[in-house]
Amino acid sequence: MTKNEEFERLKKMAEETGFTHAAFLDVSTIQLMPEVRQMCASNSCHMYDKSWNCPPACGSLEECEKKIRRYQWGILVQTVGELEDSLDGEGMMEAESAHKKHFVELEKLLRPVYPEMLAIGAGACTKCVSCTYPDEPCRFPGQSFASMEAYGMLVTQVCQDNQLPYYYGPCTIAYTSCFLIA
Protein backbone atom coordinates (compact mmCIF):
# COMPACT_ATOMS: atom_id res chain seq x y z
CA MET A 1 0.00 0.00 0.00
CA THR A 2 1.37 3.42 -0.91
CA LYS A 3 1.66 6.18 1.68
CA ASN A 4 -1.19 8.06 -0.05
CA GLU A 5 -3.45 4.97 0.03
CA GLU A 6 -2.55 4.40 3.66
CA PHE A 7 -3.36 8.03 4.51
CA GLU A 8 -6.71 7.83 2.69
CA ARG A 9 -7.57 4.72 4.74
CA LEU A 10 -6.66 6.57 7.96
CA LYS A 11 -8.64 9.63 6.90
CA LYS A 12 -11.72 7.48 6.32
CA MET A 13 -11.25 5.88 9.77
CA ALA A 14 -10.91 9.35 11.33
CA GLU A 15 -14.12 10.55 9.71
CA GLU A 16 -15.97 7.36 10.69
CA THR A 17 -14.79 7.87 14.27
CA GLY A 18 -16.43 11.31 14.29
CA PHE A 19 -13.70 13.83 13.45
CA THR A 20 -14.91 16.63 11.22
CA HIS A 21 -11.59 17.07 9.37
CA ALA A 22 -8.39 15.13 8.75
CA ALA A 23 -5.24 16.03 6.83
CA PHE A 24 -1.90 14.50 5.95
CA LEU A 25 0.82 15.55 8.37
CA ASP A 26 4.37 15.96 7.11
CA VAL A 27 6.37 15.59 10.31
CA SER A 28 9.23 17.65 8.87
CA THR A 29 6.94 20.71 9.11
CA ILE A 30 6.62 20.41 12.89
CA GLN A 31 8.58 23.02 14.81
CA LEU A 32 8.79 22.84 18.58
CA MET A 33 8.82 26.32 20.05
CA PRO A 34 10.08 27.42 23.46
CA GLU A 35 7.40 30.16 23.42
CA VAL A 36 4.64 27.54 23.36
CA ARG A 37 6.26 25.66 26.22
CA GLN A 38 6.47 28.99 28.12
CA MET A 39 2.70 29.35 27.66
CA CYS A 40 2.39 25.98 29.42
CA ALA A 41 4.60 27.26 32.24
CA SER A 42 2.22 30.21 32.73
CA ASN A 43 -0.23 27.50 33.85
CA SER A 44 -3.36 28.97 32.27
CA CYS A 45 -4.82 25.46 31.99
CA HIS A 46 -3.85 24.62 35.60
CA MET A 47 -2.04 21.42 34.57
CA TYR A 48 1.59 22.53 34.53
CA ASP A 49 3.65 20.24 36.78
CA LYS A 50 0.54 18.21 37.66
CA SER A 51 0.60 15.37 35.10
CA TRP A 52 3.03 12.90 33.59
CA ASN A 53 1.91 14.15 30.18
CA CYS A 54 2.29 17.88 30.75
CA PRO A 55 5.47 19.92 31.16
CA PRO A 56 7.86 19.49 32.72
CA ALA A 57 7.22 15.74 33.17
CA CYS A 58 6.49 15.05 29.49
CA GLY A 59 10.12 15.82 28.69
CA SER A 60 12.22 18.72 27.52
CA LEU A 61 11.72 20.18 24.05
CA GLU A 62 14.88 18.30 23.03
CA GLU A 63 13.41 15.02 24.27
CA CYS A 64 10.10 15.71 22.52
CA GLU A 65 11.98 16.60 19.33
CA LYS A 66 13.85 13.30 19.48
CA LYS A 67 10.55 11.37 19.80
CA ILE A 68 8.90 13.25 16.94
CA ARG A 69 11.82 12.89 14.52
CA ARG A 70 11.49 9.10 14.62
CA TYR A 71 8.45 9.59 12.36
CA GLN A 72 8.08 10.85 8.79
CA TRP A 73 4.36 11.39 8.45
CA GLY A 74 1.07 11.17 10.26
CA ILE A 75 -2.48 12.42 10.31
CA LEU A 76 -3.92 15.61 11.79
CA VAL A 77 -7.48 15.24 13.07
CA GLN A 78 -9.95 17.93 14.09
CA THR A 79 -13.30 18.30 15.74
CA VAL A 80 -14.98 21.60 14.93
CA GLY A 81 -17.79 22.64 17.24
CA GLU A 82 -20.50 25.22 16.71
CA LEU A 83 -20.98 27.76 19.50
CA GLU A 84 -23.99 29.88 20.37
CA ASP A 85 -21.68 32.87 20.86
CA SER A 86 -18.04 33.58 21.61
CA LEU A 87 -18.63 33.05 25.35
CA ASP A 88 -20.36 29.65 25.00
CA GLY A 89 -18.26 27.75 27.54
CA GLU A 90 -20.67 24.81 27.56
CA GLY A 91 -20.37 24.48 23.77
CA MET A 92 -16.58 24.61 24.03
CA MET A 93 -16.56 21.87 26.66
CA GLU A 94 -18.93 19.71 24.58
CA ALA A 95 -16.69 20.05 21.51
CA GLU A 96 -13.59 19.25 23.58
CA SER A 97 -15.28 16.21 25.11
CA ALA A 98 -16.37 14.96 21.67
CA HIS A 99 -12.84 15.48 20.33
CA LYS A 100 -11.27 13.52 23.18
CA LYS A 101 -13.81 10.72 22.68
CA HIS A 102 -12.99 10.54 18.95
CA PHE A 103 -9.27 10.64 19.77
CA VAL A 104 -9.48 7.67 22.16
CA GLU A 105 -11.61 5.69 19.70
CA LEU A 106 -9.24 6.27 16.80
CA GLU A 107 -6.20 5.53 18.96
CA LYS A 108 -7.74 2.15 19.89
CA LEU A 109 -8.29 1.34 16.21
CA LEU A 110 -4.81 2.43 15.11
CA ARG A 111 -2.69 1.00 17.96
CA PRO A 112 -2.92 -2.67 16.86
CA VAL A 113 -1.89 -1.70 13.31
CA TYR A 114 0.74 0.87 14.33
CA PRO A 115 2.01 -0.24 17.75
CA GLU A 116 4.87 2.29 17.66
CA MET A 117 2.73 5.29 16.69
CA LEU A 118 2.86 8.48 18.73
CA ALA A 119 -0.59 9.83 19.61
CA ILE A 120 -0.54 13.51 20.59
CA GLY A 121 -3.82 15.00 21.76
CA ALA A 122 -5.53 18.27 22.53
CA GLY A 123 -5.40 19.47 26.12
CA ALA A 124 -4.28 17.53 29.14
CA CYS A 125 -4.50 13.75 29.33
CA THR A 126 -7.81 12.70 30.86
CA LYS A 127 -7.25 8.94 31.03
CA CYS A 128 -7.40 9.04 34.84
CA VAL A 129 -9.57 11.15 37.11
CA SER A 130 -6.44 12.12 39.02
CA CYS A 131 -2.88 11.67 37.80
CA THR A 132 -0.35 9.78 39.93
CA TYR A 133 2.27 12.46 39.17
CA PRO A 134 4.78 12.83 40.80
CA ASP A 135 4.38 10.16 43.49
CA GLU A 136 3.74 7.03 41.41
CA PRO A 137 4.42 6.01 37.80
CA CYS A 138 1.73 6.61 35.19
CA ARG A 139 -1.00 3.96 35.48
CA PHE A 140 -1.41 3.69 31.70
CA PRO A 141 1.90 4.64 30.03
CA GLY A 142 0.89 3.11 26.70
CA GLN A 143 -2.51 4.79 26.67
CA SER A 144 -1.88 8.24 28.12
CA PHE A 145 -0.99 11.17 25.89
CA ALA A 146 0.54 14.61 25.89
CA SER A 147 -0.94 17.54 24.01
CA MET A 148 0.48 19.17 20.91
CA GLU A 149 1.16 22.27 23.02
CA ALA A 150 2.94 20.23 25.70
CA TYR A 151 5.31 19.12 22.96
CA GLY A 152 5.87 22.77 22.04
CA MET A 153 3.80 22.82 18.85
CA LEU A 154 1.93 25.95 17.84
CA VAL A 155 -1.20 24.16 16.62
CA THR A 156 -2.28 26.93 14.23
CA GLN A 157 1.16 26.76 12.56
CA VAL A 158 1.13 22.95 12.26
CA CYS A 159 -2.32 23.16 10.65
CA GLN A 160 -1.27 25.96 8.29
CA ASP A 161 1.91 24.12 7.25
CA ASN A 162 -0.17 21.04 6.41
CA GLN A 163 -3.04 22.74 4.56
CA LEU A 164 -5.63 22.20 7.28
CA PRO A 165 -7.69 25.23 8.30
CA TYR A 166 -7.77 26.09 11.97
CA TYR A 167 -10.31 28.90 11.94
CA TYR A 168 -13.77 28.06 10.62
CA GLY A 169 -15.48 31.37 11.25
CA PRO A 170 -17.18 33.11 14.15
CA CYS A 171 -18.93 30.97 16.72
CA THR A 172 -16.81 27.89 16.01
CA ILE A 173 -14.01 26.19 17.88
CA ALA A 174 -11.53 23.65 16.56
CA TYR A 175 -9.72 21.01 18.60
CA THR A 176 -6.75 19.41 16.85
CA SER A 177 -4.69 16.29 17.58
CA CYS A 178 -2.29 14.15 15.61
CA PHE A 179 -1.08 10.62 15.21
CA LEU A 180 2.50 10.16 14.01
CA ILE A 181 2.69 6.92 12.05
CA ALA A 182 5.88 6.13 10.19
Side-chain angles (χ1 to χ4, degrees):
M1 182 179 308
T2 68
K3 191 185 303 184
N4 190 46
E5 290 170 330
E6 197 169 357
F7 166 72
E8 288 301 325
R9 184 173 65 86
L10 295 179
K11 182 177 178 182
K12 183 177 183 199
M13 290 172 73
E15 291 167 350
E16 289 172 351
T17 305
F19 289 106
T20 51
H21 302 284
F24 183 85
L25 172 58
D26 177 353
V27 173
S28 71
T29 66
I30 296 174
Q31 301 172 37
L32 304 187
M33 303 176 178
E35 301 86 357
V36 175
R37 186 53 78 81
Q38 288 167 0
M39 286 189 286
C40 285
S42 73
N43 203 22
S44 61
C45 73
H46 310 289
M47 290 304 294
Y48 185 81
D49 204 20
K50 292 186 175 92
S51 167
W52 286 112
N53 293 291
C54 289
C58 67
S60 67
L61 284 182
E62 293 77 19
E63 290 167 325
C64 292
E65 180 89 27
K66 191 173 182 180
K67 288 178 193 175
I68 287 171
R69 297 301 165 213
R70 294 186 358 225
Y71 302 91
Q72 297 173 355
W73 70 279
I75 184 170
L76 279 167
V77 291
Q78 275 183 343
T79 303
V80 178
E82 299 286 330
L83 306 175
E84 289 182 22
D85 57 45
S86 62
L87 300 174
D88 182 8
E90 185 177 317
M92 292 176 197
M93 291 186 335
E94 286 173 8
E96 179 184 23
S97 177
H99 182 79
K100 287 189 177 197
K101 178 179 173 258
H102 306 324
F103 180 81
V104 169
E105 287 177 27
L106 187 56
E107 192 275 338
K108 284 180 183 175
L109 293 172
L110 295 179
R111 186 64 64 192
V113 181
Y114 305 102
E116 300 300 316
M117 105 183 142
L118 179 59
I120 306 173
C125 180
T126 54
K127 179 74 178 165
C128 301
V129 174
S130 65
C131 186
T132 59
Y133 179 81
D135 302 319
E136 299 287 331
C138 176
R139 292 181 194 102
F140 301 100
Q143 298 171 22
S144 62
F145 61 89
S147 70
M148 293 176 72
E149 294 87 353
Y151 265 69
M153 295 181 213
L154 184 60
V155 178
T156 55
Q157 188 68 49
V158 175
C159 290
Q160 179 182 329
D161 290 344
N162 289 278
Q163 291 72 54
L164 180 66
Y166 183 79
Y167 179 68
Y168 292 89
C171 295
T172 63
I173 190 162
Y175 290 93
T176 307
S177 296
C178 63
F179 297 90
L180 306 186
I181 303 296

